[in-house]
Amino acid sequence: MNERRLEARVSQQRHKRQLNRQPSPMLAGLILYGSILFFSWLPSIFITSTVPILPPMGFSIFLCWRLIRPESLPIWAGLPLGGFDDLFSGNLFGTGILLWSIAILCLDWFEHRFPWRGFIHDWAVAASVSGLYVIFSTLLSGASISLVIFVAIIPQLLITLSMYPLTAMLVTTLDRVRLVRVKEIHDGT
């Protein structure tokens, strides 16, 4: 009998803590866009080399947000986010805008075409879109295209293709933080 009362009290307290709490729109937007912008900026502070080694982390986070939470990013989000990535990636300005916009359009098509999919499908889509992103940004970079250039991007391609599980885990953790319920205080008017 005492156990039932204790369980009822715990249940009431749990529901009492849930009242008047909603996810903060400001926190949701800050974490969503802030994570993409931060990871677009991050590779520029670690390594500066003539051969690309680090994967396009901002683009990978962008893809994961779009695959895990398709409704969170509007279809036009590729334009400003790709422009910000262009500032730090070292590519010609406009490359990220073009490729991020094409990628989000392709992901939107994929989302409508295959609404029920699993982790392996998302990984295959992210790997193919990321691989094409690396190849096309190399082609649009203005460098003279040769076999040496394509051999030089093989490590970046391999890291990019295998990075999706870690990126998805990071994005799902950020999504849980983004949707934390916070107390909303109204002024009574």
Side-chain angles (χ1 to χ4, degrees):
M1 187 73 159
N2 287 336
E3 289 180 19
R4 286 186 185 177
R5 286 183 187 166
L6 182 63
E7 287 177 15
R9 241 186 228 163
V10 169
S11 177
Q12 283 177 345
Q13 288 174 354
R14 188 178 313 134
H15 291 297
K16 195 182 255 186
R17 284 182 279 174
Q18 297 285 329
L19 292 177
N20 199 23
R21 299 207 185 328
Q22 292 182 351
S24 167
M26 186 177 77
L27 182 66
L30 184 68
I31 289 178
L32 173 69
Y33 292 108
S35 64
I36 296 170
L37 296 176
F38 176 74
F39 282 99
S40 288
W41 169 75
L42 191 64
S44 67
I45 63 170
F46 285 131
I47 296 175
T48 304
S49 68
T50 57
V51 179
I53 296 172
L54 291 177
M57 291 205 251
F59 185 72
S60 299
I61 296 289
F62 173 73
L63 283 180
C64 281
W65 275 114
R66 187 64 188 181
L67 288 170
I68 292 171
R69 289 280 187 181
E71 74 282 353
S72 63
L73 286 168
I75 199 77
W76 53 264
L79 185 102
L81 294 172
F84 183 84
D85 187 67
D86 280 340
L87 296 175
F88 296 102
S89 67
N91 290 334
L92 295 173
F93 191 76
T95 303
I97 294 171
L98 174 71
L99 295 178
W100 286 45
S101 298
I102 290 172
I104 201 166
L105 288 172
C106 291
L107 290 175
D108 190 52
W109 174 84
F110 179 75
E111 175 67 29
H112 289 297
R113 183 87 173 157
F114 304 105
W116 298 285
R117 58 189 194 279
F119 179 75
I120 300 297
H121 295 109
D122 285 350
W123 192 355
V125 168
S128 59
V129 171
S130 296
L132 289 172
Y133 175 79
V134 169
I135 291 170
F136 280 118
S137 48
T138 303
L139 291 173
L140 295 173
S141 69
S144 60
I145 304 304
S146 65
L147 184 62
V148 175
I149 297 286
F150 284 108
V151 170
I153 66 168
I154 288 176
Q156 184 185 23
L157 269 173
L158 293 176
I159 293 171
T160 302
L161 299 179
S162 62
M163 195 174 78
Y164 180 75
L166 294 173
T167 310
M169 189 169 54
L170 174 70
V171 166
T172 53
T173 304
L174 288 172
D175 191 40
R176 268 187 257 133
V177 171
R178 183 178 79 99
L179 297 177
V180 164
R181 294 172 167 259
V182 293
K183 189 169 187 173
E184 210 174 274
I185 299 174
H186 296 286
D187 60 359
T189 58

